[in-house]
Amino acid sequence: MGTDHAFAELGLAPDATEREVKAAWRRLASQWHPDRNASAGASARMQRINQAFDEIRRAGFHAAATADVDTPGATPDHAPDGFDDDQPGTASGAAGTERRRRPLRRKLRMTLEEAAAGCIKVVQGRFTDTCAACAGAGHQVLGGNCARCGGSGAMPKRAFFGWPTGATECEACLGGGIARQPCAACSGRGKTAPRGYKIKVRIPHGVRDGDLLHVDGSRVGAEGPPADLEIRVEVAEHAFFRLDDDGTIRCEMPVDGFAWIANRQIQVPTLAGFHTLRLSRDRLTYRLEGEGFPVQRRGPRGDHLVTLVPIFPQQLSTDQQILLDQLSATGSGAGGEALDERLRAWNRGLRAWERSL
């Protein structure tokens, strides 16, 4: 019985208050209770009235199934099975099990390298389900009047000296006046005992921080939750790299100044590992094509942009000073004239400027 049907059964509008629902139930129960109505359809009508009353209470206080989720323990795994946001794995859920209306929402933290290449993560946690025996109500209706309140749904309140001071809702029937007992299957909680789950999720390459991945709960095996999963991706900040919107990875890298002058080879870090780079003393920026981050999810990679920062000693040692003096002397020919044409042209310009003063 749906909620709208339940309100109609009690002759109420869908926006009726709890007090109006209880009053309508008492009025109908006094009319159709088999102890007071001997007609053939009284028992069936009273059963529908009780079902409508319980449905409305569940809709008000148990509107939707919820899940208690622990912090995920996500670790990389290289198992071949799993699923991603739009290509779930082939594992099937339990037959005939109705999936939750609301998905479990999880956060999954990963490195920039994992986001770029794709990976398999293990997602685990705990959840509770609605008790099937009592449909989440926490009790089972027995029928007839509540023994504690006599069917009125209220218990008198008394002051310290025993004087009556009004009435309060009967705890045995929750104000309904119908005899009921706590559900034995869930001990009156309306939910099953917490159960753990553990599934492997295949993360596609190219996901970015804040992306939302959907996992179809109907394709999960027995160890998974009976619900869909919505996974919010959190990509950790990288120590070396900065990601641009176009997939370019930027890396500012200090390098030995003497190695830069000598055009040596160095190892440059990239998302896929180290890349050998031949230095050129006339360049500080290098572009490694296709070594960056995917431009779009599952798309081709962008470029990796390396900017070098040559580092020289703040104070030269004696040996370094001698070597630099020797190196500097090799740049001049006989009579101290510079060997490089660019320096000779500059010096000629300086001398002409000096004469014009």
Side-chain angles (χ1 to χ4, degrees):
M1 178 182 295
T3 305
D4 292 341
H5 187 190
F7 279 106
E9 184 70 36
L10 298 183
L12 298 171
D15 58 350
T17 64
E18 185 178 0
R19 178 173 295 182
E20 291 172 339
V21 171
K22 291 179 180 179
W25 178 87
R26 294 190 186 98
R27 174 175 51 79
L28 294 173
S30 64
Q31 178 182 354
W32 292 99
H33 198 283
D35 294 342
R36 303 174 184 178
N37 192 323
S39 63
S43 179
R45 179 63 190 278
M46 190 65 213
Q47 185 177 7
R48 294 200 307 272
I49 293 170
N50 289 339
Q51 290 176 351
F53 181 76
D54 287 338
E55 175 63 27
I56 293 173
R57 290 188 67 89
R58 285 197 300 270
F61 300 100
H62 306 281
T66 58
D68 298 327
V69 182
D70 292 340
T71 302
T75 54
D77 199 303
H78 298 285
D81 57 337
F83 42 81
D84 55 30
D85 56 323
D86 59 0
Q87 287 187 335
T90 58
S92 300
T97 301
E98 182 181 359
R99 292 190 288 123
R100 299 181 186 271
R101 289 175 293 177
R102 294 199 296 180
L104 299 179
R105 293 178 174 85
R106 304 303 309 272
K107 292 181 180 179
L108 197 58
R109 191 173 179 85
M110 63 187 64
T111 65
L112 188 63
E113 289 85 354
E114 290 174 331
C119 60
I120 292 179
K121 289 285 191 178
V122 175
V123 179
Q124 59 187 6
R126 294 168 66 84
F127 71 94
T128 58
D129 204 354
T130 300
C131 176
C134 65
H139 61 269
Q140 295 174 335
V141 178
L142 300 177
N145 292 333
C146 173
R148 182 176 298 183
C149 65
S152 65
M155 296 293 292
K157 293 175 61 178
R158 298 187 178 276
F160 179 75
F161 294 102
W163 294 97
T165 60
T168 184
E169 185 180 83
C170 175
E171 295 180 357
C173 64
L174 301 178
I178 308 173
R180 63 182 67 194
Q181 67 180 6
C183 176
C186 64
S187 301
R189 296 189 302 270
K191 295 183 178 181
T192 61
R195 183 168 71 89
Y197 66 87
K198 183 178 181 180
I199 57 176
K200 295 173 183 177
V201 181
R202 189 184 304 277
I203 307 298
H205 69 271
V207 296
R208 300 214 178 197
D209 186 70
D211 280 0
L212 188 65
L213 305 181
H214 181 81
V215 177
D216 188 354
S218 65
R219 307 291 294 275
V220 182
E223 293 185 354
D228 292 350
L229 280 178
E230 285 186 359
I231 299 178
R232 179 74 64 179
V233 175
E234 291 186 350
V235 180
E237 184 177 351
H238 203 278
F240 305 139
F241 306 142
R242 180 166 58 87
L243 174 61
D244 291 348
D245 292 338
D246 62 354
T248 300
I249 291 291
R250 297 182 181 273
C251 175
E252 186 175 277
M253 178 179 175
V255 64
D256 181 84
F258 297 129
W260 172 65
I261 294 175
N263 291 346
R264 296 288 189 246
Q265 286 186 348
I266 61 171
Q267 296 295 312
V268 176
T270 68
L271 291 175
F274 285 103
H275 181 91
T276 301
L277 180 65
R278 168 72 69 176
L279 299 181
S280 177
R281 69 179 67 93
D282 59 348
R283 294 178 58 190
L284 291 177
T285 301
Y286 301 81
R287 181 179 295 272
L288 307 179
E289 296 184 358
E291 296 289 341
F293 198 87
V295 180
Q296 297 177 348
R297 192 184 299 178
R298 295 192 178 89
R301 289 175 176 258
D303 297 338
H304 186 98
L305 205 60
V306 182
T307 301
L308 300 183
V309 180
I311 303 297
F312 294 96
Q314 294 183 352
Q315 185 173 359
L316 297 177
S317 66
T318 303
D319 291 339
Q320 289 174 332
Q321 187 63 58
I322 294 173
L323 290 173
L324 284 178
D325 290 341
Q326 294 174 352
L327 183 62
S328 177
T330 61
S332 301
E337 186 70 18
L339 297 178
D340 191 280
E341 175 58 30
R342 292 170 295 180
L343 288 175
R344 290 200 302 270
W346 172 258
N347 292 333
R348 287 195 299 269
L350 283 180
R351 288 193 294 268
W353 171 76
E354 183 182 14
R355 289 193 299 269
S356 67
L357 292 178

